[in-house]
Amino acid sequence: MALLCLLWIPAENFSGWKELEGWLSRNSQVKLTAAMTPESLGPEAQKILLPLVQSGRLELALRLAGDPILPWIIDNPDAPRPEDAIQRLALARERYRAALGSFPAGFVPAAGALTPALRPAVRSLGLSWVAGGGLAPESLPGSRPAVIPLRDLTDAPRTSRPSGFYVLDESTGPSEEPLLSWLDRWASDELSAASWATVSAALRRIPETPAPAGPEWSSPGWSAFASHSNVFSQPSWKLYADAALMLQRYQNSGGADLKLLEEAAESLYAAQANRYFRPASSPSESAALSRELQGHLLSVYRKVRERPPEALRSLESGAATATAGDIGFSQGVSWLQFMAAAPPLAPGATRQLSIDSLRVEWNEQDTAFIFRFSPGEDLELHAYIDLNGVTGAGNIDIIGDPSRAFISARDAWEYALTVSSTSAALHRSVGPKTLGLVTNPPFSWNAEEGSARVTVSRQWLKGHPSRWGYVALALRRGLPKPELAAILGSEAAKTKKEAASGRLRLIGLRSPDRL
């Protein structure tokens, strides 16, 4: 009889326990393991779950609030904090015991991502197994604590009889097919011959054999974002790392107040939640998460009476806010974005084409400009940058097609960035009409997706990007003369003289507090 184990990781705020209880009562052959944070085991959940646990139908495994990616925390090159894993595990284990009256047998790290430094903590706390992802689904190891090689349920064949160890991870949002839908199919008459077991019950069938920590303790996880190689370069992570390093120094200073240190550590734990570092589903969600992260990190500094860095104190995050031309605006830790409310069409364009958004990201070394646009044409994208905000102090001409449009004197630019499928260039305006090439910065261009990214060194663009003004447009190439094809935003109201000339006067995009 084929062995079948399913580890389910619900959202931390999951509340459909009555429905799960009812389904299990109707399908007596099914046994599950669910990963729960102690904080989610409230009175209502305990009332429903405890009888299922006592009957052996349900096993509850331990997970940490916020599902931090522990290799990021432990192996952080800027401020490694391996002690956080031990302390958080020990604290969560005690809270689990207080809620359920017993200690957990297993631990489920976020996305099944493991690092060898985690093994001593798991062993010292008496845990017999830990979930791992991205491993070959071979026989279970006999050593304890055992790494359970789980396969992502959403990748399992939907027609063949399942066997082995699977995970359905809904911690970051509901899957396309929710738990009970999967169970309905897997518990059908055709598949009822499988021997359902909880993870701990399955592990008891395997004799324990001593073995050193193997490569499984470096498992990458079952979710792609857990192995995100660029996380340490994200501005949000840099702010976290600065707070972690500050707390390390305070802890080792010899004069730390233990109560304040404990309170600050709790705030840092909250900032370790993986939702702050994985891609957001929308600009509004990203803005909300930035505000949350800022609050946790500010609390770390305030608890130990340290001054937060300027980058953290000046953080502004907001949902979409109308700017010129009915453009949406959002801003995070070290980024801002202008989004078209509807695809605009430049007057005179021969076919519909749009620039959907301009996003600007920055750190201490570089400023990146990311364009999203309608794919399918040979384009050259432009971003005109007004650094000083002084009316008339800069150039107002459009590179390549000055006869069709000009930029409002209020938004006269000092630098212009151009990018196409073949090249990128940063131009500087020394005076009203003087134009010079500064550099050819690195760039990427994805014609199929309609995206382009250009990275410019901060040695050229100095100052704070949130204080700059921007004009973004596209020229259509492949013609005898480049043609203005699309703008992000709208043209300004024209004077009679301007209307007679037929030229468009373009207005800049700015953060709402800079308008």
Side-chain angles (χ1 to χ4, degrees):
M1 185 176 290
L3 179 69
L4 180 56
C5 281
L6 177 59
L7 169 66
W8 174 49
I9 310 175
E12 288 188 71
N13 61 353
F14 179 79
S15 59
W17 301 116
K18 291 291 284 186
E19 291 83 355
L20 178 62
E21 178 190 34
W23 191 95
L24 289 174
S25 69
R26 297 188 300 272
N27 297 271
S28 59
Q29 81 277 21
V30 175
K31 297 179 176 66
L32 296 175
T33 299
M36 305 288 293
T37 67
E39 293 80 0
S40 65
L41 294 170
E44 182 179 353
Q46 290 182 40
K47 182 179 178 181
I48 296 172
L49 297 179
L50 277 174
L52 294 172
V53 172
Q54 293 164 357
S55 68
R57 302 291 309 286
L58 182 68
E59 174 185 25
L60 296 181
L62 180 66
R63 61 194 263 222
L64 300 181
D67 294 306
I69 305 297
L70 291 178
W72 296 354
I73 308 301
I74 295 172
D75 302 328
N76 179 358
D78 298 313
R81 291 185 61 86
E83 70 276 12
D84 279 1
I86 300 173
Q87 292 169 0
R88 292 198 63 178
L89 265 172
L91 183 60
R93 178 175 174 267
E94 287 300 320
R95 290 173 176 170
Y96 179 102
R97 183 193 62 79
L100 298 180
S102 62
F103 289 114
F107 169 58
V108 181
L114 296 173
T115 176
L118 187 61
R119 189 173 192 263
V122 174
R123 177 181 283 277
S124 68
L125 294 175
L127 297 163
S128 61
W129 62 267
V130 60
L135 304 171
E138 299 168 350
S139 59
L140 287 168
S143 60
R144 303 292 187 269
V147 177
I148 309 299
L150 292 155
R151 288 177 284 177
D152 190 340
L153 179 61
T154 60
D155 294 333
R158 300 198 172 199
T159 55
S160 61
R161 175 171 295 182
S163 64
F165 295 80
Y166 290 91
V167 59
L168 180 61
D169 189 349
E170 297 186 307
S171 62
T172 61
S175 60
E176 291 184 7
E177 188 172 2
L179 173 69
L180 295 186
S181 177
W182 278 104
L183 290 177
D184 277 334
R185 180 153 49 78
W186 276 28
S188 65
D189 291 340
E190 179 186 354
L191 303 178
S192 61
S195 176
W196 289 80
T198 64
V199 173
S200 291
L203 193 60
R204 285 194 290 270
R205 303 181 188 182
I206 302 171
E208 182 173 355
T209 56
E216 67 270 13
W217 281 92
S218 296
S219 68
W222 52 71
S223 294
F225 78 85
S227 56
H228 179 33
S229 60
N230 295 325
V231 65
F232 296 142
S233 64
Q234 290 183 9
S236 54
W237 185 267
K238 180 65 166 62
L239 292 175
Y240 163 79
D242 288 345
L245 185 60
M246 179 280 298
L247 196 59
Q248 288 279 82
R249 290 170 177 165
Y250 177 79
Q251 181 175 330
N252 299 330
S253 65
D257 183 305
L258 295 183
K259 184 174 185 300
L260 296 180
L261 180 62
E262 182 178 330
E263 293 175 353
E266 286 282 359
S267 295
L268 190 68
Y269 296 163
Q272 293 170 352
N274 74 61
R275 63 180 176 273
Y276 300 129
F277 310 107
R278 67 172 187 259
S281 61
S282 66
S284 59
E285 182 192 39
S286 180
L289 291 173
S290 292
R291 286 194 296 271
E292 282 185 29
L293 178 62
Q294 179 196 33
H296 295 316
L297 294 180
L298 286 174
S299 179
V300 175
Y301 287 93
R302 289 166 180 164
K303 293 291 186 184
V304 295
R305 301 181 176 88
E306 290 285 339
R307 180 179 175 84
E310 177 64 28
L312 181 59
R313 288 187 292 115
S314 63
L315 171 65
E316 296 177 11
S317 305
T321 304
T323 62
D326 193 24
I327 293 296
F329 173 80
S330 59
Q331 186 171 350
V333 177
S334 290
W335 61 269
L336 56 81
Q337 182 166 280
F338 301 97
M339 300 151 288
L345 179 65
T350 58
R351 56 173 289 192
Q352 187 168 1
L353 183 146
S354 67
I355 299 179
D356 299 322
S357 66
L358 172 66
R359 182 181 175 95
V360 185
E361 300 175 353
W362 60 89
N363 55 38
E364 293 180 356
Q365 290 78 37
D366 304 302
T367 302
F369 297 80
I370 302 99
F371 298 84
R372 295 282 181 180
F373 55 92
S374 300
E377 291 210 36
D378 186 11
L379 300 176
E380 182 177 83
L381 304 173
H382 293 197
Y384 297 89
I385 307 158
D386 176 18
L387 298 183
N388 58 29
V390 178
T391 299
N395 202 322
I396 63 172
D397 286 338
I398 300 298
I399 298 173
D401 191 11
S403 64
R404 286 291 313 280
F406 65 97
I407 294 172
S408 170
R410 165 70 174 84
D411 305 301
W413 55 271
E414 287 76 42
Y415 286 89
L417 187 67
T418 62
V419 59
S420 67
S421 60
T422 57
S423 65
L426 179 68
H427 306 271
R428 183 183 179 187
S429 173
V430 181
K433 296 292 182 180
T434 306
L435 182 67
L437 176 65
V438 176
T439 185
N440 294 109
F443 74 99
S444 62
W445 183 278
N446 190 320
E448 292 184 358
E449 292 184 1
S451 66
R453 180 186 182 99
V454 188
T455 303
V456 180
S457 170
R458 293 297 294 273
Q459 69 172 306
W460 305 118
L461 298 178
K462 298 179 180 180
H464 204 291
S466 69
R467 299 186 175 95
W468 302 342
Y470 304 88
V471 170
L473 55 85
L475 297 185
R476 185 178 284 110
R477 302 198 308 169
L479 302 173
K481 183 179 180 181
E483 176 186 278
L484 179 64
I487 56 178
L488 180 60
S490 66
E491 59 176 304
K494 297 187 287 288
T495 65
K496 289 183 179 181
K497 182 177 180 181
E498 291 168 351
S501 72
R503 298 177 75 200
L504 308 178
R505 179 158 60 95
L506 307 182
I507 53 178
L509 303 171
R510 299 177 185 272
S511 168
D513 64 350
R514 307 295 295 181
L515 291 174

